[in-house]
Amino acid sequence: MFFSVSNFSNYRARFSMPGGTENLFYSFNLGPVHFIGISTEMYYFLNYGLKTLVFQYEWLVNDLQEANRPENRARRPWIIVYGHRPMYCSNGNGDDCTHTETLTRVGWPFFHMFGLEELFYKQAVDVEIWAHEHSYERSWPLYDYQIYNGSQADPYRNPRAPIHLITGSAGCKEGREPFDKNRPDWSAFHSQDYGYTRMKAYNRTHLYFEQVSDDKNGAIIDSFWLVKDKHGSYV
């Protein structure tokens, strides 16, 4: 069978995802969580055209608005978005996420159209999960390079911005990603250990995350509770 390589046609033809959005982005509900999977690659391959990027952004706006309808947010209070390329990282490799104006964060260069950070903030997304970097990194509650902890003593209780997680430490023939020697203030924890992340949605108020290290024979090297007494706007 022939698959065109233009405009991600090969992915759309090979894979089947929920929602009827040509397989590049979708959402589903599981327990108290509304999950949204997006493609970050279309921000980096504009030579394939802009139509798919615009289509995803418009779909994403509608999906988040639907998830935030009061009856839906009451039924599924947690909103978690995941995609490949992160908005923030402290890796020392010169990737896009090490720059201040990440494409997924602010959108098209110069025009700043279709950026995702402001949208996710306004639509009260709780957690943003990324990969791409072959490492693990957890942020403090973060928006536009500003930390919005719930409190100094309990930063993840009622935070005032989303939490970013990079969980790309499963292993790759390209090896581990180094970190910059000066860790930014927004980065709460990072590790080069091979491993994986586990999440448990206990109920409408408590999410639990932990990072498992294969290098340390299954030891938990990082963990935190995200606790929200209410869900909705950060402002």
Side-chain angles (χ1 to χ4, degrees), residues 95-110:
D95 276 3
D96 179 76
C97 58
T98 65
H99 305 157
T100 56
E101 293 201 342
T102 312
L103 296 182
T104 51
R105 192 176 78 81
V106 302
W108 291 353
F110 309 112

Side-chain angles (χ1 to χ4, degrees), residues 121-209:
Y121 178 75
K122 287 183 175 179
Q123 296 293 334
V125 170
D126 298 293
V127 183
E128 301 173 30
I129 300 175
W130 312 104
H132 190 60
E133 303 297 328
H134 305 152
S135 55
Y136 168 79
E137 187 158 24
R138 165 173 56 88
S139 79
W140 299 117
L142 180 64
Y143 174 66
D144 195 21
Y145 283 92
Q146 299 297 312
I147 297 170
Y148 292 93
N149 291 348
S151 67
Q152 184 173 357
D154 202 352
Y156 296 109
R157 177 180 288 273
N158 298 319
R160 293 175 292 120
I163 290 90
H164 293 252
L165 284 178
I166 297 176
T167 175
S169 61
C172 174
K173 65 181 180 180
E174 297 174 355
R176 307 166 195 256
E177 297 283 8
F179 288 103
D180 192 274
K181 63 180 180 180
N182 298 314
R183 193 166 81 195
D185 292 340
W186 57 259
S187 178
F189 180 88
H190 65 209
S191 172
Q192 286 184 291
D193 284 11
Y194 285 137
Y196 56 94
T197 306
R198 289 193 292 230
M199 183 199 83
K200 184 170 183 178
Y202 275 81
N203 50 42
R204 62 178 294 105
T205 59
H206 287 68
L207 291 184
Y208 175 71
F209 293 86

